[in-house]
Amino acid sequence: MTLYPAIDLKDGQAVRLTKGLMESAKIYSSEPYELVKKFEAMGATWVHLVDLNGAFAGEPKNLEQIEKIRANSTVKLELGGGIRDEATIVKMLEIGIDRIILGSIAVRDPEFVKAMAKKYPIAVGIDAIDGYVAVEGWGEVSSIKATDLASEFANAGVEAIICTDVGRDGTLGGVNVDFTQSIAQASGVATIASGGVKDENDIFLLEESGNIEGVIIGKAYYEGRLDLEKMFKTLK
């Protein structure tokens, strides 16, 4: 079970949202790279980055901070938010991002994502509201079931699927284990849980399920509900 501490970037700052609403943003740091250094010191091997402005704009918007994070840490970085074409994928990899997360484009053009997965380290982000895929920074809900989209990427060469229950994201209401398992079973791809993690018990529930590769930790850490350093040691 890999722990992925999360940093959401909005206007150059590290924030957390509640249920994906931009107006709910709570600022946790004006220097996100310092958070990454802290995670690295705790024992993190990966950090999960989301360019929130980019997700709505359809192109990366927090490049300065992303480059600063890369320059000040050696952890592996995965990045999502507004990455919709090959040129942007290449640019992010050249900056030093280790894995690219494709979300909205995976709904609009799954064949493009499959082609990119053959060439680059790609994760698919599947964000769901009531079981249906949300796109464009969660601003729209499609008619596609999350499990159907997950099955589209079985044997496609993607490194991971990151699945978020948007209704729980940032709520500290508990992770949706059943939803995460359904994505893992539909895809057969390493699946990372996201949304609603409230404490260490959620992590243990995911670990016990046996088919979930990792979990993204956000507000539970920032609000002091989860001792992240202790969890890194526990899961070694």
Side-chain angles (χ1 to χ4, degrees):
M1 174 71 64
T2 304
L3 303 182
Y4 293 79
I7 294 178
D8 288 356
L9 298 167
K10 179 177 183 286
D11 304 331
Q13 299 173 308
V15 306
R16 298 305 293 170
L17 306 184
T18 300
K19 297 185 179 181
L21 300 172
M22 286 289 265
E23 61 269 24
S24 73
K26 181 176 180 179
I27 299 167
Y28 288 98
S29 176
S30 59
E31 290 291 358
Y33 81 94
E34 292 180 349
L35 286 173
V36 178
K37 289 173 71 173
K38 187 182 289 187
F39 293 144
E40 188 170 14
M42 288 179 185
T45 55
W46 280 92
V47 170
H48 174 84
L49 303 175
V50 178
D51 182 343
L52 292 174
N53 302 105
F56 283 91
E59 60 182 11
K61 291 294 183 181
N62 284 278
L63 274 177
E64 184 180 342
Q65 286 294 349
I66 292 165
E67 290 175 335
K68 203 169 182 179
I69 287 168
R70 178 69 290 167
N72 285 278
S73 66
T74 60
V75 292
K76 290 183 177 180
L77 300 173
E78 60 178 24
L79 172 68
I83 302 172
R84 314 255 167 101
D85 56 53
E86 186 169 7
T88 307
I89 291 170
V90 171
K91 182 177 182 179
M92 296 301 105
L93 293 173
E94 287 175 346
I95 285 172
I97 298 301
D98 296 280
R99 183 158 68 199
I100 305 298
I101 304 164
L102 300 179
S104 296
I105 192 67
V107 181
R108 309 257 190 249
D109 192 353
E111 294 307 314
F112 167 78
V113 175
K114 292 174 188 176
M116 294 301 97
K118 289 182 170 65
K119 299 167 70 174
Y120 310 111
I122 300 294
V124 172
I126 297 180
D127 306 326
I129 295 175
D130 298 327
Y132 288 86
V133 178
V135 295
E136 307 301 331
W138 301 347
E140 300 174 24
V141 181
S142 73
S143 60
I144 301 169
K145 284 187 176 181
T147 48
D148 289 343
L149 183 61
S151 65
E152 181 79 27
F153 295 103
N155 305 309
V158 299
E159 289 192 356
I161 289 178
I162 300 165
C163 61
T164 304
D165 182 339
V166 174
R168 298 196 189 203
D169 192 65
T171 66
L172 298 171
V175 71
N176 192 335
V177 179
D178 291 342
F179 168 65
T180 309
Q181 284 183 318
S182 72
I183 296 296
Q185 289 162 1
S187 67
V189 174
T191 299
I192 300 167
S194 173
V197 173
K198 67 182 185 303
D199 55 29
E200 64 182 33
N201 291 325
D202 276 356
I203 295 171
F204 293 137
L205 280 173
L206 291 166
E207 187 181 32
E208 287 166 9
S209 73
N211 64 345
I212 296 168
E213 187 276 329
V215 55
I216 290 169
I217 308 294
K219 194 171 279 188
Y221 164 74
Y222 292 111
E223 294 291 327
R225 304 285 191 92
L226 180 71
D227 185 336
L228 197 51
E229 189 166 11
K230 175 188 170 188
M231 288 308 302
F232 281 123
K233 291 174 181 174
T234 300
L235 294 174
K236 270 190 175 178

